[in-house]
Amino acid sequence: METKLPTFNSVFSVDCVIFGFEAGELKILLIERNEEPYKDWLALPGYIVEQDESIDNAAERILYELTGLRDLHMQQFHTFGEVNRHPQGRVITVAYYALIRINGQKELKPITQYAKSAFWHPVNELPKLAFDHSEIFQTGFNKLRRRLNYQPIAFELLPEKFTLTQLQSLYEAVLNKKLDKRNFRKKMLSYGFLKELDEKQKGVSYRAAKLYKFDRRKYTKIFQNELSVEG
Amino acid sequence: METKLPTFNSVFSVDCVIFGFEAGELKILLIERNEEPYKDWLALPGYIVEQDESIDNAAERILYELTGLRDLHMQQFHTFGEVNRHPQGRVITVAYYALIRINGQKELKPITQYAKSAFWHPVNELPKLAFDHSEIFQTGFNKLRRRLNYQPIAFELLPEKFTLTQLQSLYEAVLNKKLDKRNFRKKMLSYGFLKELDEKQKGVSYRAAKLYKFDRRKYTKIFQNELSVEG
DNA sequence: ATTTAATGGTGTAAATCTCACACAGTATAT
DNA sequence: ATATACTGTGTGAGATTTACACCATTAAAT
């Protein structure tokens, strides 16, 4: 007894809010659109989901095609479904976010023609974005901020080896407030998932700081209980 | 330069995970389906979003049509987008949840023919549900549990006037563990958003407990900072 | 060689929060 | 009156959070 689903002129898309951290500043990944509507506008990397791919897979594919980045662990955070959010018809969009280290080596380079370019932009002083992308970004940023309070997601944004001061300024950038140096260090070190290295910072004209690494194995061991409730 | 969106045979739906609390048990709202596929199965109240309504509105409408309940504050919590989650085609579904008091007066009564009946079912010992609804339920339940730790959402589930013991057993049901009575009371009262009433419980064959009310005004005042970060 | 500029790195005390734990009081039913 | 069943209350130990200031180290400038 196979009935038919209704056919609407409706599509799903995904949009990606990708955070990076560079030169003491929190940034997100934007593209310059090369397609109507909103041609030449800045936008979050996003596109339409194919009929035969899951939205999770679509998110990975689309990010790759528009920016050249792949293999990030993106997570869905909200779905935007207002009727008129897209001028050409009914499009609901599932928004994903991820945090990555900005790696000067990896070039940002759109694979498709839909984007003219992809680049990092500081989260402060964002220009107006295409569609409702400003709202999507803001929702994602709030999510990130709240999440930082119970998960050490900051490590995804830093280079493999980092100083405690870098870690702290990342926290300060995300939370948008000053933290106390001594308390911050004490707390971070007390978690036990930071590995102190025998190396020091290079190329600074002041006392060089010790470098640390994030020890994912220890982290997982410590937090597996809390994470098992993850939905 | 109006290009056209692609037309897929794809639709969006919403599914609702509605929690209630009754007789010391946490329950969710289920329907008995009256339509293929999964005719006669139990399922979460859910249906297809119309082309000219936002998903938030769709959630309210659909819940009403399938169960007779309206005016709850539902919140989206996850979107499920696997390719084969629906046997008749590509359907992605946005899952919503809400907490309400089960009110014996309000009858559960489907308005449409799509549901044979709607009823409350304890969250423990849930039968297998239609589609991927068991997974959707589980994700929603995890969300509820985590949320309870930082927001007093429990009050939505209780009658207007309640005893501290009722409040505690609700927490215990959601978190699935015993709590200490003295610590629980101390903590709840310390928040300052419980209003002690001059009334007592009636109709019990033991010492009657004091009744309390949740004071939403005070709550909002106390927590406005934290909530303003809400995404 | 000395100074300057910039950041690195460290401890302590008070206040608050968390957690474990047990028993007398009171309303009702018989 | 007495049995039953739940209400309502306090304390101390330990852990966590917060506020707070100065000397150490390095490279560059003089």
Side-chain angles (χ1 to χ4, degrees):
Chain A
M1 176 138 169
E2 283 285 314
T3 52
K4 231 8 199 168
L5 288 172
T7 305
F8 294 143
N9 181 24
S10 321
V11 295
F12 341 126
S13 63
V14 299
D15 286 300
C16 305
V17 180
I18 311 296
F19 292 95
F21 189 66
E22 193 179 45
E25 262 190 327
L26 191 66
K27 304 189 172 178
I28 63 160
L29 189 52
L30 294 181
I31 62 163
E32 194 181 356
R33 285 178 62 86
N34 194 25
E35 214 191 19
E36 293 292 348
Y38 290 100
K39 189 167 191 309
D40 303 326
W41 282 59
L42 301 185
L44 298 174
Y47 208 73
I48 291 168
V49 177
E50 298 289 340
Q51 200 163 12
D52 58 356
E53 67 183 345
S54 74
I55 49 177
D56 288 352
N57 291 343
E60 290 200 27
R61 174 184 62 77
I62 288 166
L63 184 69
Y64 173 66
E65 291 180 359
L66 292 173
T67 69
L69 292 182
R70 65 204 322 181
D71 297 327
L72 341 183
H73 290 294
M74 285 192 279
Q75 272 190 46
Q76 181 195 123
F77 67 88
H78 197 78
T79 296
F80 294 81
E82 290 303 315
V83 176
N84 292 314
R85 54 171 300 283
H86 194 295
Q88 289 176 347
R90 186 70 195 276
V91 180
I92 74 169
T93 196
V94 183
Y96 280 75
Y97 75 151
L99 317 175
I100 65 166
R101 2 180 172 281
I102 294 180
N103 186 335
Q105 320 319 339
K106 264 189 220 152
E107 213 184 344
L108 295 177
K109 192 176 191 173
I111 315 295
T112 65
Q113 301 306 309
Y114 299 132
K116 271 191 240 176
S117 64
F119 57 93
W120 292 104
H121 193 289
V123 299
N124 296 320
E125 307 155 25
L126 269 194
K128 216 163 166 2
L129 302 179
F131 305 104
D132 54 354
H133 286 190
S134 296
E135 184 193 344
I136 295 176
F137 158 73
Q138 196 55 53
T139 305
F141 193 20
N142 290 341
K143 198 87 176 182
L144 172 72
R145 193 172 285 147
R146 265 182 302 152
R147 184 124 178 256
L148 192 63
N149 290 317
Y150 57 93
Q151 280 189 25
I153 50 183
F155 302 101
E156 322 263 347
L157 291 164
L158 290 171
E160 199 195 355
K161 301 170 182 182
F162 52 85
T163 69
L164 291 180
T165 302
Q166 284 165 357
L167 181 61
Q168 182 175 347
S169 60
L170 171 52
Y171 268 76
E172 290 178 342
V174 174
L175 301 175
N176 196 27
K177 67 179 175 196
K178 279 284 180 200
L179 301 173
D180 178 84
K181 186 160 65 161
R182 275 173 293 190
N183 292 337
F184 180 80
R185 285 164 181 243
K186 208 186 321 169
K187 190 164 178 180
M188 281 297 148
L189 292 172
S190 79
Y191 289 136
F193 50 62
L194 288 180
K195 193 158 39 186
E196 184 179 331
L197 301 177
D198 267 345
E199 269 175 279
K200 295 203 166 180
Q201 212 177 11
K202 290 242 165 82
V204 291
S205 76
Y206 45 81
R207 175 177 175 182
K210 269 187 222 151
L211 289 171
Y212 289 80
K213 244 179 149 167
F214 176 54
D215 186 335
R216 188 172 296 276
R217 258 217 353 260
K218 276 202 187 132
Y219 171 73
T220 319
K221 204 175 281 180
I222 297 167
F223 287 90
Q224 59 195 351
N225 300 327
E226 280 144 81
L227 288 178
S228 66
V229 185
E230 185 72 36
Chain B
M1 177 144 165
E2 282 285 312
T3 51
K4 230 11 198 168
L5 289 171
T7 305
F8 295 143
N9 181 24
S10 320
V11 295
F12 341 127
S13 64
V14 298
D15 286 301
C16 305
V17 180
I18 311 295
F19 292 95
F21 189 67
E22 193 179 45
E25 262 190 327
L26 191 65
K27 303 189 172 178
I28 62 159
L29 189 52
L30 294 180
I31 62 164
E32 195 181 355
R33 286 178 60 87
N34 194 25
E35 213 190 20
E36 293 294 348
Y38 290 100
K39 190 167 190 309
D40 303 328
W41 282 59
L42 301 185
L44 299 174
Y47 209 72
I48 291 167
V49 177
E50 298 289 339
Q51 201 163 10
D52 58 355
E53 67 183 346
S54 73
I55 50 177
D56 288 352
N57 290 343
E60 289 198 29
R61 174 184 62 79
I62 289 166
L63 183 70
Y64 173 66
E65 290 180 0
L66 292 173
T67 70
L69 291 181
R70 66 203 324 181
D71 296 327
L72 345 182
H73 290 293
M74 286 193 279
Q75 272 189 48
Q76 181 195 122
F77 68 88
H78 197 78
T79 296
F80 296 81
E82 290 304 315
V83 176
N84 292 316
R85 52 171 301 282
H86 193 295
Q88 290 177 347
R90 185 69 196 276
V91 180
I92 74 170
T93 196
V94 183
Y96 280 76
Y97 75 152
L99 318 174
I100 65 166
R101 7 179 168 280
I102 294 180
N103 186 336
Q105 319 320 337
K106 265 189 219 153
E107 213 184 342
L108 295 176
K109 193 175 192 173
I111 314 294
T112 66
Q113 301 305 310
Y114 300 132
K116 272 191 237 173
S117 63
F119 56 93
W120 292 104
H121 193 288
V123 298
N124 298 319
E125 307 153 26
L126 269 196
K128 215 161 165 2
L129 301 180
F131 305 103
D132 54 356
H133 286 190
S134 296
E135 183 194 346
I136 295 176
F137 159 73
Q138 197 54 54
T139 306
F141 194 19
N142 289 342
K143 198 88 177 182
L144 173 71
R145 195 171 282 147
R146 264 182 302 152
R147 183 122 179 258
L148 193 62
N149 289 316
Y150 56 94
Q151 281 188 25
I153 51 183
F155 301 100
E156 322 263 347
L157 292 163
L158 291 171
E160 197 195 356
K161 300 170 183 183
F162 52 85
T163 70
L164 291 179
T165 301
Q166 284 165 357
L167 182 61
Q168 182 176 346
S169 60
L170 171 52
Y171 267 76
E172 290 177 342
V174 174
L175 301 175
N176 196 28
K177 65 180 176 195
K178 280 282 179 202
L179 301 173
D180 178 83
K181 185 158 67 158
R182 276 173 291 189
N183 292 337
F184 180 81
R185 286 165 179 243
K186 208 185 321 169
K187 190 164 178 180
M188 280 298 148
L189 293 173
S190 78
Y191 289 137
F193 50 62
L194 288 180
K195 192 157 39 185
E196 184 179 330
L197 301 177
D198 267 344
E199 270 175 278
K200 296 202 164 182
Q201 212 176 10
K202 290 242 165 84
V204 290
S205 76
Y206 45 80
R207 173 177 175 184
K210 268 186 224 153
L211 290 171
Y212 289 79
K213 245 180 150 165
F214 175 54
D215 186 336
R216 188 173 295 277
R217 256 215 357 256
K218 275 201 187 133
Y219 171 73
T220 317
K221 206 175 280 180
I222 298 166
F223 287 90
Q224 58 194 353
N225 300 325
E226 279 143 81
L227 288 177
S228 66
V229 185
E230 185 71 39

